[in-house]
Amino acid sequence: MNLQNLKGVGNKTIEALYQANIYNLDDLLTYYPYRYQIEVPTILDNTNSLEIVVINATILEINKVGYIKKNLNILRMKIETNGKIMSLVIYNRAYLRPNLKIGQNIIAIGKFDLKKNLFTANNIRFGKLEEKRIIPIYHSIKNLKNIILEKIISEALKENNDIVDYIPERYIKKYEFLSKKDAINVIHKPIDEDLLKKAKERLIYEELFLFLFKVQYLKKIKVSGESIIKNIDKSLILQFISDLPFKLTNDQLKSIEDGLEDFTTKKRMNRLLLGDVGSGKTIVATVLIYANYIAGYQSAFMAPTEILATQHYNSIKKLLEKYNINVELLIGSMSKKNKNEIMKKVLNGKVDVLIGTHAILNENLLFPNLGFVITDEQHRFGVNQRNILQEKGVKPDVLFMSATPIPRTYALTIYGDMDTSIIKEKPSGRKEVITHVKKESELKDVLYQILEEIKLNHQIYVVAPMIEENEDMPLQTVINLKEKFDGAFHGKVPIEVLHGKLKNKEKDEIMNRFKNGDVKILISTTVIEVGVDVPLATMMIIFNAERFGLATLHQLRGRVGRNDLQSYCYLICNEDVKRLQVLEESNDGFYISEKDFEFRGEGDLFGEKQSGDMTFHIADIRKNYDVLMRALEDVKEWIDIDEYINLTSYVKIIEELKFNN
Ligand code: ADP
Ligand code: MG
């Protein structure tokens, strides 16, 4: 059954769904609500209602729509609710006006001001709320209203017959899980909170089980992964290291050692290099690239974005140039002619090191002699991509790098199929970023500090959780802050905004102007790249810090303090949030990640929501730690009995992992 065949789904809806990566029934049914709203009809008494409430009302009079500004209109009506007559206003719902009739029953959600006898609604719906209802709330999809999405999903649920259940029979029995079909029904249309809990539990377990199966399967067959033994003259490596402009830390040296061991033995490298932002992973990779070059092989280095690829290209080229090593960059935005030229050079073996985005492995690019592949920011890629190279029929050594420090137990679970090297030590001479938690009322102090930094020709990052205002979430916005800052500095400081709605080209342009110092303050959502190096950026200011998880805040903070200048971070919030003290006290990513997991990802509204190893539809490895560990035990037990070989669903999974072994 296709999405197109669902009742009420037209081309526009299809387009909206595709935009949200929903391509089939399965995707749709696993587009789970991220929260639920429990609606109980309230009877307004003679008090203000400061909390948002839901009332049943009847329309008595409807005014004309008032237009206040370009993007703001107001709809006003008189309503009756439980014998009381009052005014109701709602903003930006002009489009509802033609459908409203006198005498109509509506459900209104909002707040009541007794003195003004005014109900300010965030939302209204037609009908009457008879009793308590649990309403699923989905992450909003552009051009698709929640209520429409709810309807389409209802239709899809009717078709939900051949949905695959990945939990093996024995564990369904063991834990008395709901059937997959029931669980999916309940998660989208809950009638009872207990049942909802059971449905969630089951879906979380399944998701983790499947994920862990992949990891454990990769581990199981990895043993057979052999590679060529590389011949490397160690004295050359030592010379290279001593010629570096700085002294490597012990952890860096140990990681290089680990890599060389992989290179020079039959075992194929399948290694994760874990280290905090700025801990110096790139230099470790560079030394290994050099070693791979000495052995006579090409290297490929993949970064998740063009900005990062370009940055790596510049720094790696600088270090390798003097050894006559040919380093080239290949990214999508280059001219076709340029790209072709480089591809030809790669094919002819004239490029020793190719740096680019992930696409470099797909662009029909042939490496005659590829011996080493590095993937930066591994956590952005999914487990299916871990073996993408095998497909090309080559068996290079592979190094994954990640700046998401996670506690050891989790690392073993998530990256259980890889060996790990860890960099804990910071390069010497690095000053810790001084961090303060501030109330929004203390903003003036912060503005003075900003000015001080700007006088020193330093630069400032400002992060806000939202782009524009949204009535449901009263949070700071990039747009508002730009106005506020322009006002505070009388427009004399060059400020730019950066957010996900801009085109890639615009983003790159702004980022480049910030990098070269033309822009002094960069106000953005969390889109600023994890690894971006702007040496003169010395201050990071994060608004609504309470809405971010500790790990996310630490990642953001990692964008300053990347050299020997003293850097600062201000976490601005309106409430006292105890966990933020962890960041005042520590700059140690591993310690912070331990704490973050202890707080179970609290506040992590804007965490790793993209794609990659840490993201699931419903599971959260921090919040669902117990389930994770239970599923791991089960997977290990199950994988040993080889039952999966006979299950079509699992055969498919294995195929997706793309193996030729
Ligand atoms: P990561 O990739 O782990 O985020 P980088 O490799 O980009 O970190 O290193 C951040 C900065 O620190 C770079 O400018 C790099 O040249 C420098 N650096 C790396 N290792 C050392 C070291 N041992 N001593 C001093 N500076 C270092
Ligand atoms: Mg990096």
Side-chain angles (χ1 to χ4, degrees), residues 72-91:
L72 189 64
N73 59 64
I74 181 168
L75 187 58
R76 203 177 264 281
M77 56 188 105
K78 196 180 269 179
I79 57 164
E80 184 262 343
T81 176
N82 218 58
K84 287 168 72 126
I85 293 173
M86 61 183 66
S87 299
L88 178 148
V89 299
I90 184 160
Y91 293 94

Side-chain angles (χ1 to χ4, degrees), residues 246-249 252 276-282 427 430 562:
F246 39 73
K247 199 167 165 291
L248 294 185
T249 63
Q252 284 174 317
D276 220 342
V277 263
S279 62
K281 296 182 293 295
T282 313
R430 241 356 112 64
R562 296 179 76 89

Side-chain angles (χ1 to χ4, degrees), residues 485-613:
F485 278 52
D486 274 338
F489 301 122
H490 309 290
K492 282 184 182 141
V493 176
I495 304 176
E496 283 289 353
V497 300
L498 191 75
H499 54 73
K501 283 195 183 161
L502 296 174
K503 298 207 178 72
N504 278 343
K505 209 175 135 224
E506 293 171 301
K507 273 192 241 172
D508 284 0
E509 229 164 80
I510 291 169
M511 203 58 223
N512 281 330
R513 291 211 295 131
F514 187 60
K515 270 187 100 157
N516 65 30
D518 292 343
V519 171
K520 292 298 173 203
I521 302 181
L522 185 69
I523 305 180
S524 79
T525 51
T526 54
V527 296
I528 27 172
E529 299 302 339
V530 177
V532 170
D533 224 348
V534 182
L536 286 177
T538 52
M539 194 176 272
M540 167 62 76
I541 297 162
I542 304 169
F543 283 84
N544 290 113
E546 74 280 359
R547 295 302 184 110
F548 297 90
L550 292 181
T552 307
L553 290 169
H554 177 66
Q555 286 273 358
L556 289 170
R557 178 171 66 176
R559 267 145 250 196
V560 298
R562 296 179 76 89
N563 53 24
D564 51 7
L565 297 171
Q566 180 59 59
S567 290
Y568 305 87
C569 173
Y570 289 98
L571 303 173
I572 302 189
C573 56
N574 289 317
E575 332 149 27
D576 270 321
V577 186
K578 195 163 153 264
R579 68 193 162 84
L580 295 182
Q581 284 171 7
V582 174
L583 291 161
E584 284 184 315
E585 287 156 11
S586 172
N587 268 273
D588 175 351
F590 285 93
Y591 171 76
I592 290 164
S593 78
E594 293 278 357
K595 288 286 173 194
D596 187 43
F597 277 68
E598 253 172 55
F599 286 108
R600 295 280 184 255
E602 214 174 284
D604 211 0
L605 202 54
F606 303 95
E608 304 277 335
K609 271 283 175 282
Q610 313 107 332
S611 60
D613 282 349

Side-chain angles (χ1 to χ4, degrees), residues 649-660:
S649 52
Y650 274 86
V651 171
K652 234 174 115 190
I653 295 286
I654 290 168
E655 253 163 43
E656 276 169 18
L657 284 170
K658 291 181 178 140
F659 273 91
N660 323 330

Side-chain angles (χ1 to χ4, degrees), residues 205-232:
Y205 176 90
E206 182 181 19
E207 197 169 27
L208 292 171
F209 188 95
L210 194 56
F211 173 80
L212 292 168
F213 171 80
K214 290 179 187 174
V215 174
Q216 291 299 317
Y217 181 79
L218 289 175
K219 185 175 181 177
K220 184 171 170 158
I221 60 146
K222 188 188 78 179
V223 186
S224 62
E226 290 189 0
S227 72
I228 3 159
I229 297 176
K230 286 175 180 156
N231 216 332
I232 295 164

Side-chain angles (χ1 to χ4, degrees), residues 281-282 312 376-377 401 531 562:
K281 296 182 293 295
T282 313
H312 284 314
D376 194 17
E377 310 297 352
M401 307 204 290
R562 296 179 76 89

Side-chain angles (χ1 to χ4, degrees), residues 392-411:
K392 302 209 104 193
V394 285
K395 287 200 177 161
D397 286 300
V398 187
L399 181 73
F400 302 94
M401 307 204 290
S402 178
T404 305
I406 49 176
R408 209 181 137 69
T409 36
Y410 289 86

